[in-house]
Amino acid sequence: MAKPTPEQLAKINQLARVPLTEDEAYVFPAKLVGDQIIPRRFYRLTPNFLRKMAVQAREGVSLLLDHSWANMGIMTIPLGRTFDSRLQMDGDELALYADHYMKLGQEVGDIKIDQIAEGIDAGTIFDTSIGFTVTSQTCSICGQEYFGGNCPHIRGREYDSKLCTVDINDGDLMENSLVFDGAYPGAGVVGMSNTSELQSTIKCEALSEDAKSLPSGGRVFYSFSGKSGLDGFVIQQDKNNEVEIQAKGDDTMNEEQKAALAAAQTQATALAAANGVLGQIRAVLGVESDAEIPAKLTALSVQAADGAMYKVKVTEQACGAGVRALGEAFNVETMKTALSHLPISEIEKIGATYEAQAQAALGGGGRHTQGDDVNLPEGALNGAPPANSQNNGGEKTPEQLKALAREEARAALKNTGRGNLLKEDK
């Protein structure tokens, strides 16, 4: 017996009051109906109504035996329920499929669910037929309500070589029944191997109340009925079926409605694209909703302004250190231009390097006397050059250190390819 996939079981347990295991749930797919003319009865379900039925089948309608609700005095207890649906193109036909589940081990009256499941597996139970209500049915020739209106045409007859049919535009899907001979050609249990294939076909979903997002290239369809009021539906379709379905169109719409639908589709596509961009912006900014975006941008603008001011400060400090290290040889304007293209972290590193060179060139400041002897050096009063008591004959004077550091800095700039930052010697 067919067991549900993990994805199917999750959908089933959204409907079950008590969660089922994969060993308890029996699943099977079936074709419910399509938009072709029902032979001998000359009725046809329009694509809009099929899309509404797809939503209702996904929400879950009853699985019965032989439309038992239609016979007074006959007990009507569902054997199972639908839990998923999809639309797909079968040649020229737009067809509605649904997945059903039953709980194994149950008995409904005199019927054992396991026996029904065995019959489906054996292929002896195969035909199905839907039960549904109708709130709008119009003539395919004149477009007026077929019953109770002013339509003069008779279904099944031809008028100017065009067959008159009754187009069922709206209503509600009530149930799907296992029967011995269904009315719609091809309706019935389909092979289990088709389930995974059908999963990749068209998806139908109710239009969100806020209508903030739509599937890419999605079309919106509306239906109106006394039971549910005005409802919108969106078809999310596979790329393989998209062109074919759009080419088929919906012949229940006039040219004005088609033009309005095309305009709505264009707007929906633009809205979907805009929502995609907004989603990327939210991800980059790290916010949850669109309402948070302006405040986040304002905060980032303030931070950017503070960062720009800090970069100017760090650049000035780095150039100041460069002047102290290299003197007039340091080209301040050229250095500012070069630093403007670097991140603040790199500017700080360059400034620290120049500062170290400046310290070496200018000395670290502080006292230059030896010990506690504050007397003037010998010869200071008779005009002779004072002796450097700290030189001891081997150390360089501050002027010599400054000149040496300057030359080292100039050489370092040339070696690193930044010789353009030096002024030409006069």
Side-chain angles (χ1 to χ4, degrees):
M1 293 186 180
K3 293 184 178 181
T5 65
E7 292 78 12
Q8 289 178 322
L9 188 61
K11 293 178 180 179
I12 290 171
N13 283 330
Q14 289 179 350
L15 303 175
R17 296 288 298 275
V18 178
L20 303 180
T21 66
E22 65 172 14
D23 293 325
E24 294 176 316
Y26 174 84
V27 297
F28 68 93
K31 179 178 179 179
L32 271 58
V33 71
D35 65 349
Q36 299 297 297
I37 298 173
I38 301 175
R40 299 183 301 278
R41 302 183 186 183
F42 303 103
Y43 282 91
R44 171 181 171 270
L45 276 66
T46 63
N48 274 348
F49 189 22
L50 290 178
R51 295 176 182 113
K52 182 178 180 181
M53 282 187 171
V55 175
Q56 294 174 329
R58 185 175 296 111
E59 294 172 346
V61 299
S62 296
L63 175 67
L64 304 178
L65 280 181
D66 203 21
H67 303 300
S68 55
W69 58 273
N71 300 315
M72 296 298 294
I74 301 299
M75 181 177 63
T76 303
I77 299 178
L79 305 177
R81 191 175 186 179
T82 62
F83 66 90
D84 200 5
S85 67
R86 54 210 157 262
L87 290 164
Q88 77 168 43
M89 294 301 303
D90 290 347
D92 293 331
E93 175 191 23
L94 179 63
L96 171 61
Y97 289 78
D99 290 332
H100 305 67
Y101 79 95
M102 300 186 295
K103 183 181 179 181
L104 296 173
Q106 276 191 324
E107 290 189 21
V108 179
D110 297 331
I111 301 170
K112 295 182 178 181
I113 297 298
D114 290 42
Q115 293 177 343
I116 299 295
E118 289 171 356
I120 293 174
D121 287 344
T124 57
I125 299 177
F126 56 93
D127 251 1
T128 63
S129 176
I130 60 171
F132 58 97
T133 61
V134 177
T135 58
S136 173
Q137 41 198 344
T138 56
C139 171
S140 64
I141 303 296
C142 65
Q144 299 185 73
E145 286 293 328
Y146 185 82
F147 297 101
N150 298 318
C151 172
H153 306 104
I154 304 299
R155 58 190 171 99
R157 297 183 182 180
E158 290 189 355
Y159 298 84
D160 294 330
S161 301
K162 185 177 180 180
L163 180 66
C164 176
T165 61
V166 178
D167 291 345
I168 301 176
N169 306 304
D170 198 9
D172 292 285
L173 177 63
M174 296 171 57
E175 49 87 13
N176 190 35
S177 282
L178 297 168
V179 296
F180 77 96
D181 185 19
Y184 189 85
V189 178
V190 295
M192 302 302 176
S193 60
N194 291 343
T195 303
S196 59
E197 178 182 348
L198 296 179
Q199 292 290 348
S200 61
T201 58
I202 303 171
K203 299 295 182 181
C204 182
E205 62 186 78
L207 178 64
S208 172
E209 291 184 357
D210 58 12
K212 291 294 183 181
S213 62
L214 294 172
S216 177
R219 299 171 64 190
V220 183
F221 300 87
Y222 292 96
S223 63
F224 183 84
S225 71
K227 177 180 178 181
S228 58
L230 184 64
D231 294 318
F233 304 94
V234 176
I235 306 303
Q236 184 177 7
Q237 52 203 24
D238 205 17
K239 289 184 178 180
N240 295 330
N241 292 326
E242 183 175 359
V243 176
E244 187 175 0
I245 292 175
Q246 289 184 353
K248 180 181 177 64
D250 185 350
D251 56 15
T252 64
M253 296 184 291
N254 57 36
E255 293 302 320
E256 183 178 353
Q257 290 172 324
K258 290 179 180 179
L261 185 60
Q265 180 178 353
T266 301
Q267 294 176 354
T269 302
L271 179 60
N275 284 329
V277 174
L278 282 174
Q280 296 176 3
I281 294 174
R282 289 194 301 269
V284 171
L285 296 180
V287 297
E288 296 294 331
S289 65
D290 295 345
E292 300 177 69
I293 293 177
K296 186 68 174 181
L297 290 176
T298 300
L300 290 176
S301 297
V302 172
Q303 294 176 13
D306 291 342
M309 293 177 61
Y310 181 67
K311 185 173 184 178
V312 171
K313 179 180 178 181
V314 173
T315 299
E316 293 290 347
Q317 291 174 344
C319 290
V323 171
R324 290 193 298 274
L326 303 176
E328 293 183 358
F330 187 82
N331 194 329
V332 175
E333 295 305 320
T334 304
M335 176 57 102
K336 285 184 177 180
T337 301
L339 295 182
S340 66
H341 301 292
L342 298 178
I344 292 177
S345 60
E346 292 298 320
I347 299 175
E348 289 175 332
K349 292 178 182 179
I350 294 173
T353 300
Y354 286 140
E355 187 61 37
Q357 294 170 355
Q359 290 291 334
L362 301 176
R367 296 175 60 177
H368 291 278
T369 59
Q370 187 174 13
D372 295 328
D373 186 1
V374 294
N375 295 324
L376 292 175
E378 183 179 354
L381 297 179
N382 58 14
N388 187 356
S389 59
Q390 302 181 54
N391 190 16
N392 294 329
E395 296 184 6
K396 293 181 174 60
T397 65
E399 289 76 10
Q400 292 172 323
L401 290 173
K402 181 176 180 179
L404 181 60
R406 183 171 299 169
E407 290 303 320
E408 290 176 350
R410 291 168 65 90
L413 284 174
K414 291 180 179 180
N415 290 336
T416 57
R418 292 176 177 162
N420 64 315
L421 300 180
L422 291 171
K423 291 183 178 179
E424 295 295 331
D425 294 331
K426 296 181 180 179

